[in-house]
């Protein structure tokens, strides 16, 4: 059997880390057919839109995609390609993960954190308006239906991963109607999962707790904007933004991608850390039931990091993207 997967290389370091991840996936021995499609800067050049219809059609047909990071083109007058993908594909939940690896400079041994970010609403829906010449507003839009969906998704995920606790993160003391609705909906969903502990923390308290005692954090459920920020935070806690990995989920498709962005200042130099992209590929394998192959990749990554011989600059080494990728492939037994 061959898996057909839509591939978006993306922008910046995407051109280096996505080929690295595909090389690792091919080395699992599974059979893949890569369906390369465009989004981001290249799509604007070729199709005059950040996400052409052909990209959406490919992902909806294959139901699976692996993507690199995309440049936010809002400053150039285009809508955000990531927001377009989420909207057009109905991706309502974004899972962001980071874990401690031996050999990586993080004081938090055994940290293994999951953030589930609501991915369609909040101020990222992009409803902004100028109010006179010197003021502007952005609308924070939250619905009960979407909040319930992402909460149910989170508790199901916690169960599947054998996790013990979901912490709902919010600022409902100030934003009573919007964050209040998100919190209330998530607490309602929690009642159907008596086996999973559920607590709620305000976003500022959660930020403090994450850097002070991340081992007491498990699965974090957050509205879109807070979740975006916490995703980078958990990757940093585990040693590097280059290690964070994840996926976006909807009823019709799943799109896997690392936590970080296009890293424009190091793009084209062959020095980016490909591990976030590689682990996103492993997460995709796990999602389609190829647990053994996913484990093989994770173990190979863990082994390379532990040996410390081939580490990229963000991890304190001097290895290139190719060096670390080849080292991971050598460890895949
Ligand atoms: P960024 O994540 O690209 O970079 C932040 C810092 O981390 C930089 O110092 C960068 O060099 C470093 N870094 C990131 N990934 C790395 C890797 N794999 N290996 C080594 N170092 C790495 O965030 P920034 O600079 O705020 O955003 C750049 C662009 O990426 C923007 O256009 C932004 O909108 C976009 N972006 C796209 C995302 C996506 O497509 N999912 C997510 C985040 C940002």
């Amino acid at each position: 059997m061959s898996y057909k997967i839509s591939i978006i290389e993306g922008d910046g370091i995407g051109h280096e880390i996505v080929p690295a991840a595909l090389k690792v996936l091919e080395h699992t021995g599974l059979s893949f057919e890569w369906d390369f499609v465009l989004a981001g800067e290249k799509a604007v050049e070729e199709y005059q839109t950040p996400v052409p219809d052909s990209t959406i059609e490919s992902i909806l047909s294959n139901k699976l995609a692996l993507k690199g990071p995309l440049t936010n083109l809002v400053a150039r007058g285009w809508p955000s390609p990531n927001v377009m993908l989420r909207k057009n594909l109905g991706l309502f939940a974004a899972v962001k993960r980071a874990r401690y690896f031996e050999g990586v400079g993080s004081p938090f041994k055994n940290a293994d954190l999951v953030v589930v970010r609501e991915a369609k609403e909040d101020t990222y829906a992009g409803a902004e308006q100028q109010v006179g010449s010197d003021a502007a507003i952005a609308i924070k839009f939250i619905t009960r239906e979407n909040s319930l969906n992402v909460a149910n998704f989170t508790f199901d995920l916690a169960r599947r991963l054998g996790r013990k606790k979901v912490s709902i993160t919010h600022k409902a003391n100030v934003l009573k109607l919007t964050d209040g609705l998100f919190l209330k909906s998530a607490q309602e969903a929690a009642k159907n999962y008596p086996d999973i502990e559920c607590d709620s923390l305000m976003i500022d308290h959660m930020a403090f707790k994450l850097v002070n005692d991340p081992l007491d954090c498990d699965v974090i459920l957050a509205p879109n904007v807070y979740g975006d920020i916490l995703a980078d935070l958990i990757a940093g806690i585990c040693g590097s933004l280059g290690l964070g990995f994840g996926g976006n989920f909807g009823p019709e498709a799943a799109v896997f991608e690392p936590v970080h962005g296009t890293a424009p200042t190091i793009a084209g130099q062959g020095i980016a850390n490909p591990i976030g992209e590689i682990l996103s590929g492993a997460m995709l394998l796990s999602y389609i039931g190829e647990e053994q192959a996913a484990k093989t990749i994770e173990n190979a990554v863990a082994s390379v990091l532990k040996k410390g011989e081939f580490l990229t600059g963000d991890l304190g080494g001097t290895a290139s993207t190719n060096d670390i990728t080849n080292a991971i492939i050598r460890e895949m037994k």
Side-chain angles (χ1 to χ4, degrees):
M1 171 183 187
S2 180
Y3 294 108
K4 191 168 179 191
I5 299 172
S6 303
I7 304 293
I8 299 173
E9 261 196 18
D11 301 315
I13 59 171
H15 301 299
E16 296 145 66
I17 58 173
V18 172
L22 299 187
K23 211 164 134 186
V24 169
L25 288 171
E26 282 163 3
H27 207 76
T28 58
L30 295 171
S31 171
F32 297 104
E33 189 186 332
W34 309 130
D35 188 7
F36 288 95
V37 288
L38 290 181
E41 292 182 302
K42 281 242 169 83
V44 165
E45 277 166 31
E46 208 162 302
Y47 295 94
Q48 288 73 53
T49 169
V51 182
D53 289 347
S54 49
T55 295
I56 298 298
E57 282 156 18
S58 157
I59 299 173
L60 286 177
S61 155
N62 297 325
K63 313 233 171 286
L64 286 173
L66 180 68
K67 74 176 271 286
L70 299 170
T71 303
N72 190 326
L73 302 162
V74 171
R76 288 185 235 164
W78 297 101
S80 153
N82 286 313
V83 171
M84 274 183 87
L85 279 170
R86 288 188 204 113
K87 265 192 190 159
N88 285 305
L89 295 168
L91 304 170
F92 65 92
V95 178
K96 310 285 179 178
R97 297 194 61 175
R99 52 164 286 208
Y100 171 79
F101 285 101
E102 205 178 333
V104 173
S106 160
F108 302 113
K109 302 202 177 354
N110 302 321
D112 188 354
L113 297 159
V114 182
V115 170
V116 182
R117 162 186 168 194
E118 187 288 312
K120 280 197 338 196
E121 302 186 334
D122 206 340
T123 44
Y124 283 176
E128 287 191 298
Q129 203 179 316
Q130 195 71 35
V131 183
S133 56
D134 291 328
I137 54 165
I139 293 173
K140 184 171 165 101
F141 181 69
I142 304 270
T143 63
R144 180 172 179 275
E145 186 189 4
N146 207 51
S147 304
L148 268 176
N149 281 347
V150 73
N152 284 324
F153 173 93
T154 305
F155 285 103
D156 284 336
L157 178 75
R159 252 187 202 161
R160 239 186 5 262
L161 296 175
R163 300 300 187 117
K164 303 270 175 294
K165 185 168 75 177
V166 168
S167 299
I168 310 161
T169 307
H170 62 92
K171 195 72 184 175
N173 60 330
V174 180
L175 298 164
K176 292 190 181 70
L177 297 181
T178 49
D179 279 19
L181 179 59
F182 185 84
L183 174 63
K184 214 165 89 189
S185 308
Q187 284 172 331
E188 194 183 321
K191 290 185 190 139
N192 296 322
Y193 300 85
D195 49 317
I196 310 279
E197 191 191 331
C198 175
D199 64 7
S200 63
L201 267 83
M202 279 190 275
I203 179 65
D204 39 352
H205 185 178
M206 177 54 85
F208 169 73
K209 189 170 169 184
L210 269 171
V211 290
N212 192 49
D213 189 13
L215 300 187
D216 192 43
C217 301
D218 198 343
V219 176
I220 298 164
L221 165 63
N224 207 340
V225 177
Y226 310 146
D228 188 20
I229 297 163
L230 294 182
D232 279 33
L233 184 57
I234 62 167
I237 284 167
C238 293
S240 170
L241 193 48
L243 297 175
F245 59 103
N248 305 279
F249 299 85
E252 293 183 82
V255 178
F256 296 82
E257 63 173 337
V259 167
H260 61 75
T262 59
T265 56
I266 60 164
Q269 298 174 37
I271 56 170
N273 182 351
I275 289 178
E277 190 75 54
I278 290 169
L279 291 177
S280 302
M283 192 172 172
L284 181 154
L285 294 184
S286 179
Y287 176 76
I288 59 176
E290 296 289 356
E291 280 298 343
Q292 190 53 49
K295 265 269 150 283
T296 301
I297 295 176
E298 282 164 30
N299 291 342
V301 166
S303 177
V304 166
L305 293 174
K306 186 175 173 185
K307 287 184 180 168
E309 220 181 319
F310 298 99
L311 300 181
T312 42
D314 58 308
L315 300 171
T318 56
S320 68
T321 309
N322 277 340
D323 290 339
I324 194 167
T325 305
N326 291 335
I328 290 167
I329 287 172
R330 283 196 295 276
E331 291 292 329
M332 287 169 69
K333 299 172 189 113

